[in-house]
Amino acid sequence: MQADQFPWLTAIILLPLIAAALIPVLPDKEGKSVRWYALGVGFADFVLMGYTFCTHYDASNASFQLVETYAWVPQLGLNWSVSVDGLSMPLVLLAGLVTTLSIFAAWRVDRRPRLFYSLMLVLYAAQIGVFVAQDILLLFIMWEVELVPVYLLICIWGGQKRRYAATKFLIYTAAASIFILIAGLAMAFSGDTITFDMVQLGLKDYPLPLELALYAGLLIAFGVKLAIFPMHTWLPDAHGEASTPVSMILAGVLLKMGGYGLIRLNLELLPDAHVYFAPVLAVLGVVNIIYGAFSSFAQTNMKRRLAYSSISHMGFVLLGIASFTDLGMSGALLQMLSHGLIAAVLFFLAGVTYDRTHTMAMTEMGGLGQALPKVFTLFTIGAMASLALPGMSGFASELAVFVGIATSESYSSIFRTVTVLLAAVGLILTPIYLLSMLRQVFYNSGEASFCGMSEDDMIGTAQQEAVCFGTSCVLPADAEFNDAVPREVFIAACFIALIIGIGVYPKLTTGLYDAKMVAVNDHIQKSYAQLAQANPHIYAQDFLVPSIGDPELAPLLGVVK
């Protein structure tokens, strides 16, 4: 780090961490000051991010920026090395926004508020640490630190089966993350030099068998986080039992760590192995899309339906990563950002609905649109964004992925056609299960009884906000059907404004990372060309035969058109 450079990224990480350590000594008996304190810290950190990136980040530069390196544990070669580029910077902003609004969404939590908000701030810092870590050991440490607050937040402030869900989450993600440590050590000790710096690791030449093994291990580690089938089963349970703020972070940020890891480590550090694994990712992406959509339609619990919807949408991230095209890669990152916003607002609104009904069973709801018109309007907008309505961010991201994979010259026309057609099944199923959810919850389907209350009773109840997960819960029969309050409208509006803004003008987001995604894809294409020179039919002949569009590349790849 330059002597005259302020450690901006370190400050962004340490601010919520230090603030969390101070919460136990705050003079606050009822927890009201603590929530204002936590919200203020989250907002201040988000503002600090915005200022730092506006003044010290160049979107046209694809290399690492704001690099800060300090010797931490020299005996182990562990450095505090952080930086950002086009891949990490948008995700840092996403994490800051979602976590800050999640803290605001936790306004009614009254059970152990000091511990709750302390864990939220620790989680805030750990998420940022994962996205900015340039040292692979530091990334692993931040990855592990993030697991602890999530486990406790689910286990203490969750639903009836919270301990089961929290334990399952911890076992799946902690066991899978061991592969990050093993792969990091193997790459660090490979070759003549020992280093944990990702830039230096990317310059090493690994034997292909080792590279394939490392890629497979990392795919498991990040596949669990991204909820790739069949490593996804922890996600519906975690969402079903987590409180609303935790569900917002789980869907909005934590899933995206899996996609980030795939691009950062698998693609950038192991490009040769990616050439061999890319068709596998494409197939897994299609499976995720279809399986998640069908499973979502079968759920009667609102949050579990949204959880399976997230699994389906993560399939588009895999397709984009496997596309070998600039547009597909850009679409994959845009899908992560878009889904982060959409999923966060949908889980928030699911929590708002639960606050009124005190049930997540859609079969026990119905006709809420008349009593809760604001909630109904906001929920409808979020659902339209999730089903990729034109003019919203989901449409822009999924269209980019579709065009990217459909125009990829690395796959045969048969493979591309089959992939696009199967992925399109997910697009057909998504409106079905989302619109069905809206009908069951907000329209009078004839099956629901307003949770045991008449419509007059619903509208005539006292205008007092109902409680949520992590508070003194009440029975559905005692539900109070007041409409969304200004705080809730503000939180949802923040997400919806960005969703529409990105959908109308995608360059608002893509301009932040296009240079980086082009550089990553160029890196992959070079590896593809080198491998194809020795083996023109890298993929299975007559199905995944590379089709070279540029005649000048044909001799290089050994392919005769």
Side-chain angles (χ1 to χ4, degrees):
M1 190 188 80
Q2 298 178 1
D4 60 344
Q5 179 182 338
F6 182 81
W8 296 104
L9 297 181
T10 300
I12 290 172
I13 297 173
L14 294 183
L15 175 58
L17 201 60
I18 295 173
L22 297 177
I23 285 182
V25 300
L26 290 179
D28 183 23
K29 294 183 178 180
E30 298 181 358
K32 294 181 179 180
S33 298
V34 171
R35 66 190 184 190
W36 279 108
Y37 172 80
L39 179 62
V41 171
F43 180 73
D45 208 35
F46 183 64
V47 171
L48 181 60
M49 294 176 196
Y51 172 78
T52 301
F53 297 143
C54 286
T55 58
H56 297 86
Y57 177 80
D58 181 9
S60 63
N61 185 354
S63 60
F64 286 106
Q65 304 177 52
L66 294 168
V67 179
E68 304 168 18
T69 303
Y70 310 94
W72 192 6
V73 186
Q75 297 83 352
L76 299 177
L78 175 60
N79 297 318
W80 178 271
S81 182
V82 293
S83 61
V84 292
D85 60 1
L87 173 60
S88 57
M89 190 274 281
L91 292 171
V92 169
L93 290 174
L94 176 69
L97 175 68
V98 172
T99 309
T100 300
L101 292 177
S102 297
I103 294 173
F104 201 18
W107 212 243
R108 299 291 297 179
V109 170
D110 57 11
R111 182 193 304 168
R112 302 180 185 177
R114 291 178 185 271
L115 179 59
F116 180 88
Y117 289 111
S118 296
L119 292 174
M120 290 289 282
L121 291 178
V122 171
L123 179 57
Y124 198 140
Q127 293 173 100
I128 306 302
V130 168
F131 292 131
V132 303
Q134 189 175 318
D135 185 289
I136 197 168
L137 274 187
L138 179 61
L139 183 146
F140 172 74
I141 292 172
M142 291 295 180
W143 194 279
E144 294 296 289
V145 170
E146 163 264 324
L147 301 181
V148 178
V150 176
Y151 169 78
L152 293 175
L153 286 167
I154 297 175
C155 193
I156 299 175
W157 291 272
Q160 294 181 349
K161 299 180 180 179
R162 57 186 180 275
R163 293 181 181 177
Y164 168 79
T167 303
K168 190 173 183 179
F169 161 80
L170 187 64
I171 292 175
Y172 268 67
T173 52
S177 63
I178 296 298
F179 288 101
I180 302 176
L181 178 61
I182 295 173
L185 292 174
M187 287 188 284
F189 287 96
S190 179
D192 299 329
T193 59
I194 300 176
T195 179
F196 294 102
D197 184 84
M198 292 185 192
V199 175
Q200 299 301 319
L201 293 177
L203 298 176
K204 287 190 175 185
D205 187 17
Y206 307 101
L208 185 58
L210 174 62
E211 191 167 326
L212 292 172
L214 294 173
Y215 192 104
L218 291 172
L219 180 59
I220 294 174
F222 300 132
V224 168
K225 204 72 165 185
L226 194 62
I228 299 177
F229 178 89
M231 301 174 286
H232 67 284
T233 58
W234 65 270
L235 184 65
D237 291 321
H239 273 306
E241 301 303 323
S243 62
T244 298
V246 180
S247 285
M248 292 170 65
I249 297 176
L250 269 175
V253 183
L254 300 190
L255 282 182
K256 313 310 175 287
M257 289 183 181
Y260 170 80
L262 283 175
I263 299 175
R264 175 68 76 206
L265 299 186
N266 291 57
L267 272 67
E268 289 198 281
L269 304 187
L270 308 170
D272 291 350
H274 178 69
V275 174
Y276 288 92
F277 272 92
V280 178
L281 294 185
V283 172
L284 289 174
V286 171
V287 172
N288 255 51
I289 292 171
I290 297 178
Y291 168 81
F294 273 113
S295 298
S296 181
F297 187 71
Q299 304 304 311
T300 58
N301 181 290
M302 187 191 305
K303 291 181 72 175
R304 290 182 68 90
R305 176 166 292 197
L306 293 175
Y308 277 104
S309 174
S310 295
I311 294 172
S312 179
H313 283 90
M314 289 302 98
F316 290 99
V317 175
L318 292 175
L319 281 182
I321 291 175
S323 67
F324 289 104
T325 62
D326 294 344
L327 185 59
M329 290 290 298
S330 177
L333 185 51
L334 183 59
Q335 175 71 351
M336 287 194 284
L337 298 171
S338 170
H339 181 266
L341 299 170
I342 296 171
V345 72
L346 284 177
F347 276 105
F348 168 69
L349 292 170
V352 171
T353 305
Y354 173 83
D355 289 348
R356 275 69 180 169
T357 63
H358 299 286
T359 180
M360 281 294 173
M362 293 184 291
T363 54
E364 298 178 9
M365 302 181 192
L368 297 181
Q370 296 179 9
L372 312 174
K374 295 178 184 177
V375 177
F376 170 56
T377 301
L378 295 171
F379 216 127
T380 301
I381 296 173
M384 294 300 107
S386 185
L387 60 80
L389 185 73
M392 295 189 174
S393 59
F395 175 78
S397 59
E398 293 180 13
L399 179 63
V401 170
F402 264 105
V403 175
I405 193 70
T407 58
S408 175
E409 297 182 337
S410 299
Y411 299 109
S412 69
S413 59
I414 298 176
F415 180 82
R416 284 179 286 161
T417 302
V418 172
T419 300
V420 171
L421 288 178
L422 290 177
V425 174
L427 292 182
I428 297 173
L429 293 174
T430 302
I432 296 176
Y433 65 72
L434 286 175
L435 296 179
S436 172
M437 179 179 67
L438 290 176
R439 176 185 60 80
Q440 289 180 275
V441 173
F442 294 104
Y443 291 92
N444 191 353
S445 62
E447 301 174 0
S449 58
F450 301 102
C451 301
M453 301 178 66
S454 67
E455 181 178 345
D456 292 335
D457 291 335
M458 289 166 49
I459 299 176
T461 52
Q463 296 300 309
Q464 182 180 358
E465 207 173 1
V467 295
C468 59
F469 279 96
T471 63
S472 304
C473 297
V474 298
L475 298 174
D478 299 322
E480 298 175 346
F481 289 82
N482 55 293
D483 205 357
V485 298
R487 173 180 61 85
E488 295 166 334
V489 174
F490 173 78
I491 294 172
C494 288
F495 289 116
I496 290 172
L498 286 172
I499 290 169
I500 296 175
I502 295 172
V504 173
Y505 189 62
K507 196 174 181 180
L508 183 70
T509 303
T510 59
L512 300 176
Y513 60 76
D514 271 344
K516 177 63 180 181
M517 291 297 100
V518 170
V520 172
N521 191 50
D522 287 345
H523 188 46
I524 298 299
Q525 290 286 1
K526 289 179 181 177
S527 293
Y528 179 91
Q530 292 173 357
L531 290 172
Q533 186 175 12
N535 180 17
H537 299 302
I538 298 178
Y539 305 141
Q541 190 172 4
D542 298 327
F543 183 54
L544 297 175
V545 181
S547 174
I548 309 304
D550 190 343
E552 296 180 358
L553 293 180
L556 174 63
L557 299 179
V559 177
V560 179
K561 294 188 67 176

